[in-house]
Structure formats: structure tokens, C-alpha cells
DNA sequence: AAAGCAATAGACTGACTGGTCTACTTTAAG
DNA sequence: CTTAAAGTAGACCAGTCAGTCTATTGCTTT
């Protein structure tokens, strides 16, 4: 059986370093140093750095999906309020990391999707899963008459995800959540509105 | 005086490689190889890789600003039509680079703004310049009664820039301009509309 | 023609990269 | 108790990294 303790330590340290510095800028030795694991163990659990990177993505995506479900599929809360909470959580995270980390998947998507098709596919799947969560929430909002959807729920979900990711990117370079606030304001004021 | 020919070759090759692979993944030797310049010349014109990277950003920003002015401040064209053309040009570029390159400033913003404050400042200034171009165009549209601005032109410009950058990122991972189309559609359908 | 500087040229350096290799220790099964 | 496998440990490898160094070329100014 797999001893998950060491493996998990590697993935956690890796996720942290890669979030901060990016994939290419993060060396395996740096990961080993921060969690005190020798190199022999690393290549016992992972066949290569790419393999390791994919494991980091998978772990992050799975954990994040849990919080996403908790926020966006909470049937006790009105759909638009769920979205509000999702954005608030994102803003809070941005503060916590001092506007430096942002979104791991977004970061890696930017850095690696032109570099490796394997990574691009993996990241694309994560994004698609997220979009589906949005679609579900938007359909709920539509069903309850809270919003009118002039295109398709899928297109609107894409709009929200891309807009949010872009706002996170801009917040990093600006070191301020202001772009995230602007996005949210205009989104709720003009896009997520009921039919007139 | 500066011999600009060699320096320009270095910057152009660098911009191309960095666009494709990112900053950290692009080695100086690779740049030298693609344009047949010896290392002595590189360190004659640039004091370090960071200095070189900043020159690449500056060159790209200046060139891009020209096309931005040509598109967004063309007073012969209605403001919203100018925006349409801007988006169309972005989509075309995305096709040309096979959905791999995207936006150099966005890429570097993602990769470097957590890594170096010098880079972050430089990239932030470029984004701010772009936003000002949008602000100008949006004010024109407002003055002509084409759109109603419920927040401020600055907030709306931020919204458009971040949404567009996010759509480019998503287009890269999806290898399709679909997210860019969705963004444009919903933007013109629900955000850039006249007062009712 | 001589001097001086801008620019070219590329061998070289120490540090670091991802990855391999062998040796050792621990755990579990028969 | 024996044995095999899982996991730990880190020295080591070839290659690459950004950056330095010295030597040489070419042009300009005197």
C-alpha cells in the first residue's frame, strides 16, 4: 500500500511553492528541502516532475471542488447569494495571500498550457468542472426567476469564470482586490438581473 | 551611440520565445541561439536577464499601444464599433498563434508579479495605460448616448480589461476562442447598452 | 597613423536543474 | 526467523542556468 504521509507532504509543499513561484521556478530540491524529504522518496512516489505537477493539480482540484460544492450548491441559500459568497471567499483568499498567489489553476493554465498538452488537458478539465458548478447554480437562479439568461447557462458560466480569473490576475499585478470588486459590482448590476 | 540592430534582434527574439514559453522557461542561451548573437553582446546591451525582460515588456507595450490607439481612438468610427474591432483583432491573433501565446503582458503578470516587484510595477503600468484607452473610448460612447454607465468609466474599463484577459487565458487552455466570443456577446448584450 | 571606445566573440565559472544509482532501514508475509 | 518488498537516504550525473572574463574586431576622432 502507498504510504500517503510522505507523498502528501510532498504534494502540499509543492502546491504551496508552485502557487507562490510558479511551476518552472519551483525546483524539486526546493520542495524536498521545505518538507525534509530525501530525493529517493520523491522518485519513489513520482516518476517525474510532470507527474508530480499533475498530482498537485489533482489534489488541489479535488479539495477546491469540495468548497465549491459547499458554496454553490447549498440549496438553503438563494442562488445569487451563493455566488456572492463565492466571490467574497475569493476576495478573502486574495487578502490572505497578500495578493501574490491568486488561483493555482489559473496560474498554471497561463504558464503551462502553451508548454505541455498533458498539463493543458488536465487544467482544462478542472476549468470545465468549475463551469459546470456555475451552470448548475445559474439554472437554479433562472428557475427561481432571479435572473434572465439571454444566451445559454453555459455561455454565462464561461463569462463569469473568465471574468473572475481575469480579475484575479489583475488583482495580483495591482496588489489590490479592486478589480475583483468592480467585476462583481457590474456583474450583479447588469448581467445577473431578472427579465424586465 | 547604441547600435540598435543587435539589441533589437535580441528583444524581438526574446519577446517571441517568452511569449511562447514564459520568462522562467526561456534561457538566455536560447535567445542567443535563435538570433545568432554571442553572449558578449547580450551583456553589453543588458545588465541582467531581468533588465532584458523589462526591455522586452517596454518594447511590446509601446508597439501594442500604437495599435490600441489606432483601434480605440479612431474618431471616424463609432466608439462601440471600435471596441468590436479591438475584440476581433484579439480573436484573430489568438487564431494566428494557434491559441498558444495569448497576451504577453497577461502571461508575465501571472508568472512574475508574485516573484518580483520590479516586474509587477512595470506590468501594472502597462495595464493602467490600456485601461485609460478603454476609459477614453467608453466616455466617447457615453457622450454619444450609445451606452449608460452605472458605475464609473474607470470601473467599467477595468471590467472589460479583466474579462478579456481572463477570456484569453481560458481560450489558451481550451484551445478555442469560444470563451472570447462568449465574453464579447454578453458584454455587448447586457453591459454596453444605452439607458432604458 | 594612432588612440580609444563600442561592439563582437565565445570560452569559462559556480550554482543549480531534473533525474539516476546504490545502500540502508523498516515493515509485512510466510 | 527468513525473506521480499516498500520506503528512506543522499551521493552523484550530465546538462543547463545566469553571469564573467579576456581577446579581438571595427569604427570614429584626433
Amino acid at each position: 500500500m502507498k504510504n500517503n504521509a510522505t507523498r502528501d507532504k510532498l504534494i502540499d509543499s509543492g502546491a504551496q511553492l508552485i502557487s507562490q513561484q510558479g511551476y518552472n521556478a519551483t525546483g524539486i530540491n526546493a520542495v524536498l528541502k521545505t518538507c525534509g524529504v530525501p530525493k529517493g522518496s520523491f522518485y519513489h512516489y513520482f516518476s517525474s516532475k510532470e507527474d508530480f505537477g499533475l498530482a498537485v493539480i489533482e489534489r488541489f482540484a479535488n479539495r477546491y471542488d469540495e468548497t465549491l460544492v459547499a458554496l454553490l450548491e447549498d440549496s438553503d441559500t438563494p442562488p445569487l447569494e451563493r455566488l456572492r459568497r463565492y466571490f467574497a471567499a475569493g476576495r478573502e483568499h486574495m487578502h490572505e495571500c497578500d495578493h501574490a498567489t491568486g488561483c493555482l489553476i489559473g496560474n498554471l493554465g497561463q504558464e503551462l498550457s502553451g508548454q505541455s498538452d498533458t498539463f493543458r488537458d488536465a487544467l482544462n478539465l478542472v476549468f470545465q468542472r468549475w463551469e459546470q458548478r456555475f451552470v448548475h447554480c445559474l439554472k437554479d437562479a433562472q428557475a427561481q426567476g432571479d435572473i434572465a439568461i439571454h444566451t445559454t447557462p453555459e455561455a454565462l458560466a464561461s463569462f463569469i469564470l473568465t471574468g473572475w480569473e481575469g480579475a484575479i490576475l489583475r488583482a495580483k499585478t495591482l496588489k489590490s482586490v479592486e478589480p475583483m470588486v468592480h467585476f462583481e459590482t457590474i456583474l450583479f448590476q447588469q448581467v445577473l438581473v431578472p427579465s424586465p
Side-chain angles (χ1 to χ4, degrees), chain A residues 21-175:
Chain A
Q21 314 173 328
Y23 176 80
N24 287 308
T26 300
I28 290 172
N29 286 319
V31 176
L32 301 176
K33 207 173 170 184
T34 60
C35 61
V37 168
K39 191 166 267 192
S41 297
F42 182 93
Y43 282 97
H44 176 73
Y45 293 109
F46 308 102
S47 64
S48 66
K49 190 187 180 184
E50 177 170 291
D51 185 32
F52 175 63
L54 292 170
V56 168
I57 291 170
E58 191 192 344
R59 162 79 65 91
F60 177 88
N62 285 337
R63 284 204 184 160
Y64 194 76
D65 199 53
E66 288 174 23
T67 75
L68 213 53
V69 169
L71 282 166
L72 294 182
E73 303 192 357
D74 169 22
S75 52
D76 294 339
T77 309
L80 290 192
E81 175 62 21
R82 296 178 217 163
L83 278 173
R84 292 269 190 197
R85 290 185 188 174
Y86 168 78
F87 291 134
R91 281 205 314 274
E92 198 175 334
H93 173 258
M94 206 58 172
H95 271 123
E96 276 166 12
C97 70
D98 197 27
H99 313 89
T101 296
C103 167
L104 177 67
I105 304 301
N107 295 355
L108 294 180
Q110 195 76 274
E111 185 180 359
L112 300 175
S113 54
Q115 203 170 120
S116 147
D117 274 342
T118 312
F119 273 115
R120 192 180 53 71
D121 285 338
L123 295 162
N124 187 37
L125 284 175
V126 177
F127 276 135
Q128 282 177 344
R129 226 159 75 192
W130 291 358
E131 275 177 10
Q132 279 313 304
R133 302 289 179 204
F134 281 119
V135 166
H136 190 243
C137 187
L138 291 169
K139 281 184 176 169
D140 281 358
Q142 189 181 28
Q144 299 186 19
D146 293 341
I147 60 169
I149 296 182
H150 301 89
T151 54
T152 63
E154 286 75 18
L156 189 50
S158 165
F159 181 89
I160 294 174
L161 179 63
T162 59
W164 190 239
E165 285 289 337
I168 290 172
L169 159 60
R170 187 74 187 87
K172 275 170 64 177
T173 61
L174 191 60
K175 265 195 175 296

